[in-house]
Amino acid sequence: MNCTDFEKLIAERVGEELSAEQKAEMDVHEKSCAHCRLVLAEWQKIQTLLLASWPAEEPRRPFFLPNPRRQTTWLETARTWFGLASMATVTGCFLLLVVLRPAVSYDHSQLSINFGAARSEGGTMSAQAVTQAQVQAWVRQALEQATVAGVAEAQPTSGASQIPSSTEEARRVTQIGVQVEMLKENQSALWQQVEQHGLYLQSAWRGPSDPSDSKEKPTFNRQ
Amino acid sequence: MKTAETDKELVEQALGGRVEAFNLLVWRWQRQLYNFLLRLTGNRSVAEDICQEAFLRSYLNLKELRERERFASWLFRIAVNLYRTDRRRPAPLAADCAELSDSGNARDSAHPMSREMQLAIRTLISRLEPELREVVLLRFFHGFQFDEMSGILDCPVGTLKSRLYKAVDELRTGLESQK
């Protein structure tokens, strides 16, 4: 080993990174060469000075790692509970709708809400949709009553004991004719109302199971 | 008596889900890494930040470590890359070194050296080019071998050797001028 080879391996020598064979060769050369001894000594001195000039110190704070099983924050907890409460509320409302089966009705400018459970207690109400045939039957019945009432009004005294005069009789006939015309107009208007009510009632799912219930019958509005 | 687990064993345990194993690795290497970064940057806060980030990244990317027995080299490489990309790092100045000399360890009786001499040598180190400083610190302060340094600094061994010789020359010249 010459001086050039020695200096090439000084870094490994100082860092104790040499094989035993290389170290032995360097030792032999070191003993015989004052220059290489001096160079090696300088390297070792520099290393010693460096280490002495800047000793290691402890970190001011420990280095933590994120814990995979971290604690949830209050905001996350609140968000979770709020979500669960919302789901419970929606589910509860849906169940109430299914159980109570509320029915909304609009009759004579009055909005009312009835619940299927309450109405079913009487056994006369149901949430079945009313059929158009039922409505027509109620209207037909009402019209017959109204016609009978109109005729009765027009002839208040059946079998008149007094013989009316020809002028008075003519006036009465005219009045009856007018009333009959009014009744016809009422009938056509009523049929229109019947159709409208029938559609509404069908959509509202309400109607009496017993057609004889006068409360649920459409009333005959005499003009 | 149970011997201490090797880095490789701890890495494998950490990969298996045992977080405590990685905490042991942190405990084992935090002093070395922190002091390396402290000497590299000359600033405690920057060193702490990079150190913390390096541990965090190593934890998150542990599965990418192929040679598990080389955890330390891999960790230092992460730290060096962070240092190189860290724009906040201040230029190491003599003032930083003066601040560092206040540490209790610096007045350790095992290292009988005047504060002036300590400051002078630290100033010499901090005035080295970053590439030379990295090599000097890894080699003389932390005892890494050339092949390990090659992995840490992503540089061929020959280049590292030439950098080390150059750094020693500069330090020798600087020390002679101090006399």
Side-chain angles (χ1 to χ4, degrees):
Chain A
M1 177 176 281
N2 55 28
C3 293
T4 307
D5 297 334
F6 187 91
E7 288 190 20
K8 280 183 182 175
L9 290 174
I10 279 184
E12 284 85 349
R13 171 72 182 267
V14 173
E16 298 178 355
E17 207 174 332
L18 290 173
S19 64
E21 187 181 351
Q22 286 175 317
K23 190 173 182 304
E25 288 181 12
M26 286 190 80
D27 286 343
V28 170
H29 181 80
E30 183 186 344
K31 286 176 183 172
S32 61
C33 180
H35 171 73
C36 288
R37 259 202 316 275
L38 184 63
V39 172
L40 179 62
E42 280 180 344
W43 273 74
Q44 289 170 335
K45 181 187 174 186
I46 287 173
Q47 185 177 28
T48 306
L49 285 173
L50 290 177
L51 288 172
S53 71
W54 215 329
E57 63 179 76
E58 292 297 327
R60 292 183 299 183
R61 58 183 171 88
F63 299 105
F64 287 112
L65 292 169
N67 189 353
R69 290 162 294 187
R70 66 186 177 86
Q71 299 283 327
T72 54
T73 62
W74 67 268
L75 186 62
E76 289 171 328
T77 307
R79 194 181 298 160
T80 304
W81 280 106
F82 182 78
L84 289 173
S86 301
M87 286 175 61
T89 305
V90 170
T91 308
C93 290
F94 180 74
L95 287 174
L96 279 175
L97 282 171
V98 169
V99 172
L100 297 179
R101 290 189 296 184
V104 180
S105 63
Y106 183 76
D107 195 8
H108 297 292
S109 304
Q110 219 173 10
L111 184 68
S112 60
I113 301 174
N114 296 314
F115 294 97
R119 288 192 295 151
S120 62
E121 285 176 0
T124 58
M125 311 289 283
S126 71
Q128 298 293 326
V130 65
T131 61
Q132 194 167 357
Q134 284 177 313
V135 175
Q136 288 174 353
W138 300 336
V139 172
R140 200 171 294 114
Q141 189 178 355
L143 280 174
E144 287 172 3
Q145 290 175 357
T147 306
V148 170
V151 170
E153 189 179 349
Q155 298 175 348
T157 54
S158 59
S161 56
Q162 297 178 354
I163 301 173
S165 64
S166 60
T167 309
E168 190 179 356
E169 190 173 352
R171 187 172 56 86
R172 282 192 174 181
V173 168
T174 305
Q175 284 179 349
I176 290 171
V178 170
Q179 287 178 352
V180 167
E181 290 299 321
M182 288 174 63
L183 283 173
K184 286 181 179 175
E185 289 179 4
N186 284 343
Q187 186 180 8
S188 63
L190 192 60
W191 274 115
Q192 289 180 357
Q193 289 185 4
V194 163
E195 290 178 353
Q196 291 175 358
H197 281 273
L199 290 172
Y200 176 76
L201 290 171
Q202 280 182 352
S203 65
W205 289 9
R206 76 180 287 267
S209 58
D210 182 7
S212 65
D213 191 349
S214 61
K215 286 181 183 177
E216 299 299 321
K217 287 180 182 178
T219 55
F220 181 71
N221 186 16
R222 189 181 296 192
Q223 292 180 353
Chain B
M1 181 177 171
K2 188 180 178 182
T3 57
E5 293 158 307
T6 63
D7 283 359
K8 183 181 179 183
E9 290 170 341
L10 290 174
V11 167
E12 286 170 350
Q13 289 176 18
L15 286 171
R18 187 169 165 250
V19 179
E20 295 78 10
F22 193 82
N23 283 332
L24 281 175
L25 284 170
V26 173
W27 180 257
R28 181 176 290 177
W29 288 105
Q30 64 177 4
R31 193 169 186 265
Q32 286 252 28
L33 185 64
Y34 168 71
N35 280 283
F36 167 70
L37 291 166
L38 180 62
R39 290 161 181 148
L40 193 61
T41 63
N43 185 295
R44 284 196 178 89
S45 297
V46 174
E48 286 170 347
D49 289 348
I50 296 177
C51 196
Q52 176 66 74
E53 184 67 20
F55 279 125
L56 184 62
R57 291 197 184 191
S58 64
Y59 177 72
L60 295 175
N61 300 297
L62 194 60
K63 59 180 179 299
E64 295 176 10
L65 175 60
R66 294 173 187 172
E67 298 175 89
R68 292 171 182 172
E69 63 278 4
R70 292 204 167 199
F71 171 78
S73 302
W74 182 64
L75 177 66
F76 272 71
R77 177 169 184 165
I78 293 172
V80 167
N81 288 335
L82 285 169
Y83 161 72
R84 288 174 175 174
T85 56
D86 184 13
R87 295 165 187 254
R88 294 175 306 161
R89 66 178 185 272
L93 299 172
D96 295 320
C97 301
E99 175 203 347
L100 296 173
S101 68
D102 293 337
S103 64
N105 289 338
R107 292 188 292 274
D108 194 335
S109 59
H111 301 283
M113 182 182 280
S114 67
R115 288 187 64 175
E116 291 75 16
M117 190 63 181
Q118 281 185 337
L119 185 58
I121 296 173
R122 291 183 190 191
T123 305
L124 287 175
I125 296 171
S126 64
R127 284 180 181 168
L128 290 172
E129 291 176 30
E131 293 79 13
L132 304 186
R133 193 161 64 244
E134 290 168 357
V135 175
V136 167
L137 295 177
L138 289 173
R139 183 69 180 181
F140 289 135
F141 284 91
H142 301 282
F144 281 103
Q145 298 188 344
F146 280 114
D147 62 331
E148 293 173 316
M149 290 165 61
S150 175
I152 293 170
L153 301 174
D154 195 21
C155 192
V157 172
T159 307
L160 293 177
K161 279 189 179 179
S162 66
R163 285 180 185 173
L164 186 63
Y165 279 86
K166 186 179 178 185
V168 169
D169 276 344
E170 288 188 16
L171 289 171
R172 185 192 299 122
T173 307
L175 286 170
E176 285 174 356
S177 66
Q178 298 285 326
K179 292 177 182 175

